[in-house]
Amino acid sequence: MKALILNSGMGTRMGKLTADRPKCMTMLSGTDSILSRQLRQLTDVGIREAVITTGPFEERLKVYCMEQGLPLQLTFVHNALFRETNYIYSIYLAREELKSDVLLLHGDLVFDESILKQMLEHEKSCMAVSSTMPLPKKDFKAVIEDGKIRKIGVDYFQDAVAAQPLYKLQQDKWEKWLSAIVSFCEAGRRGCYAEEAFNAIAGEMELEGFDIKQELCREVDTLQDLEELKLC
């Protein structure tokens, strides 16, 4: 299994903290950034390969990752069009590196390591969702029918649960989604969420919601998010 960490965004809502570095390098504590925590957690659960997409400050990100000194084989894929595309295009650019089971996560996601362990032990492909968290106004929700996720997006509220961009995908399921991503990008749809491509083929995916309930798993989109995490 390979981890795919999406770090090609600009992180403009973080203000000065992303003026000279990617958002994933934002410090959570005196010793841990979002990314250093993620990379350590990946190695702790046995992941040995990771593909990291990059956007602004590519070289700084590469050096930072190597400085962690972790037993991870890292492959970097640069999205030079990061200002005008979404991460669907970053995945498209990385597609040749992703011919295996995939653990997909956003580079600004902070989560408990126990979630990774449980998801990797889960028999089926799954996405982190919470049946007990309130529905966010602007972040991802997942619509679940008969135990399977049918839609993922920010605008779904009916029959939906809170969802986070953390996926464990078996290769055959991942290849279906990746094929849809390729089709979207080659049709010029490079500015949408990758989840729109998922929604087009959701019936073929058999993606389950993995209920994390109240466990920590949330994105750092704003300075307020960062402060709230530091208080946890």
Side-chain angles (χ1 to χ4, degrees):
M1 173 172 284
K2 289 185 179 181
L4 170 60
I5 309 176
L6 302 174
N7 275 318
S8 47
M10 297 176 66
T12 54
R13 286 184 286 174
M14 297 294 288
K16 294 180 180 179
L17 292 181
T18 52
D20 62 352
R21 69 191 65 195
K23 180 168 60 168
C24 62
M25 289 174 59
T26 299
M27 298 304 292
L28 297 171
S29 66
T31 57
D32 257 337
S33 67
I34 301 172
L35 180 58
S36 68
R37 175 188 168 103
Q38 287 181 345
L39 295 177
R40 188 181 69 251
Q41 290 173 320
L42 290 174
T43 59
D44 286 348
V45 299
I47 301 293
R48 291 295 176 260
E49 295 183 70
V51 177
I52 300 177
T53 68
T54 67
F57 315 111
E58 176 192 17
E59 291 305 318
R60 182 164 188 178
L61 178 59
K62 287 182 178 180
V63 170
Y64 181 77
C65 289
M66 296 306 182
E67 286 175 345
Q68 302 308 306
L70 294 168
L72 269 173
Q73 178 182 324
L74 300 175
T75 301
F76 298 93
V77 177
H78 183 56
N79 179 359
L81 302 179
F82 61 84
R83 288 185 177 86
E84 58 204 73
T85 61
N86 209 324
Y87 57 81
I88 188 172
Y89 187 60
S90 298
I91 297 173
Y92 173 79
L93 294 174
R95 63 193 184 281
E96 294 302 323
E97 304 294 337
L98 300 170
K99 298 178 179 180
S100 65
D101 293 352
V102 168
L103 182 73
L104 188 159
L105 59 148
H106 285 199
D108 60 358
L109 193 66
V110 179
F111 47 84
D112 286 334
E113 187 173 310
S114 59
I115 294 174
L116 280 188
K117 292 178 179 177
Q118 294 172 61
M119 290 182 72
L120 291 175
E121 291 170 358
H122 191 69
E123 292 183 357
K124 303 291 182 64
S125 296
C126 56
M127 178 190 192
V129 303
S130 173
S131 62
T132 58
M133 292 284 192
L135 290 181
K137 292 182 179 179
K138 298 181 180 180
D139 294 325
F140 279 147
K141 277 81 68 178
V143 176
I144 300 178
E145 298 175 359
D146 300 323
K148 302 294 188 297
I149 295 177
R150 300 305 183 196
K151 296 177 183 177
I152 304 167
V154 299
D155 297 323
Y156 300 117
F157 290 89
Q158 187 72 30
D159 300 320
V161 293
Q164 294 293 343
L166 176 62
Y167 302 85
K168 189 206 75 173
L169 299 159
Q170 295 165 324
Q171 185 174 357
D172 61 329
K173 303 299 188 296
W174 166 243
E175 288 178 350
K176 292 179 187 295
W177 188 2
L178 185 57
S179 178
I181 287 171
V182 170
S183 295
F184 267 54
C185 288
E186 293 185 351
R189 299 183 64 181
R190 304 184 300 184
C192 64
Y193 293 126
E195 282 72 14
E196 290 192 34
F198 169 88
N199 292 341
I201 48 90
E204 304 173 37
M205 285 288 294
E206 297 184 353
L207 184 70
E208 296 185 353
F210 186 85
D211 193 356
I212 62 172
K213 297 184 179 178
Q214 296 294 121
E215 290 190 74
L216 174 63
C217 187
R218 61 180 294 181
E219 291 182 283
V220 179
D221 289 321
T222 65
L223 293 173
Q224 181 178 344
D225 293 338
L226 181 62
E227 290 305 311
E228 290 174 357
L229 273 171
K230 288 181 176 179
L231 294 174
C232 292

